[in-house]
Amino acid sequence: MQDRGVKILKMESESLLIVVSSLVGALGIKEIWSIIKQKIDIGAKKEERVENVFTDQIETLTNKITQLEVKIDDLIKENTHLKVKIVKMENRLINSAKKKVQTKRYKDEGN
């Protein structure tokens, strides 16, 4: 009797194996794998796009910072040149005022 039960179990496991193999054949492991792979690839592409957006933003901000540094340097140079011009103008004004005072003294002495 026990032999008969073992034979039935063997037959059931064989039929189960046949059913599973026919299901796998019908559905196709390659197709199932391709669907799973597509979902994985879509997730990876989404992450890659997000990383690309962050990379682009960082690059844009880096370029803007570099441009601002160049502008700051230019403004510092321009400020220095303007200070030099102001000093020269002050010297000219002082010299001009001295000359006017001297000519006024000379005229006053002559009268």
Side-chain angles (χ1 to χ4, degrees):
M1 194 77 151
Q2 208 170 16
D3 275 339
R4 193 169 187 201
V6 172
K7 284 184 180 180
I8 291 174
L9 281 176
K10 283 185 181 180
M11 291 179 84
E12 285 181 9
S13 59
E14 286 178 6
S15 20
L16 184 61
L17 184 61
I18 291 171
V19 169
V20 169
S21 63
S22 57
L23 278 174
V24 168
L27 294 176
I29 288 183
K30 285 185 179 181
E31 289 184 30
I32 292 172
W33 175 247
S34 68
I35 291 170
I36 293 171
K37 191 173 183 221
Q38 270 183 331
K39 289 187 178 186
I40 291 171
D41 288 345
I42 288 172
K45 286 179 183 177
K46 186 176 181 181
E47 289 176 14
E48 186 177 315
R49 282 187 299 228
V50 169
E51 288 176 9
N52 286 342
V53 167
F54 286 142
T55 303
D56 291 344
Q57 289 175 346
I58 290 171
E59 189 174 318
T60 301
L61 290 174
T62 303
N63 289 338
K64 285 182 179 181
I65 289 171
T66 303
Q67 290 172 354
L68 287 173
E69 288 174 342
V70 169
K71 278 186 178 182
I72 289 171
D73 288 342
D74 290 344
L75 289 172
I76 289 172
K77 287 177 186 176
E78 184 179 347
N79 191 16
T80 305
H81 291 299
L82 290 173
K83 284 181 181 179
V84 169
K85 283 185 177 182
I86 288 173
V87 168
K88 286 181 180 179
M89 287 178 75
E90 286 174 347
N91 284 337
R92 278 189 235 136
L93 285 172
I94 291 171
N95 287 337
S96 175
K98 283 181 183 178
K99 285 181 184 178
K100 284 185 181 181
V101 168
Q102 285 176 355
T103 50
K104 188 173 184 183
R105 279 187 192 167
Y106 181 71
K107 287 183 182 178
D108 287 341
E109 286 177 11
N111 283 334

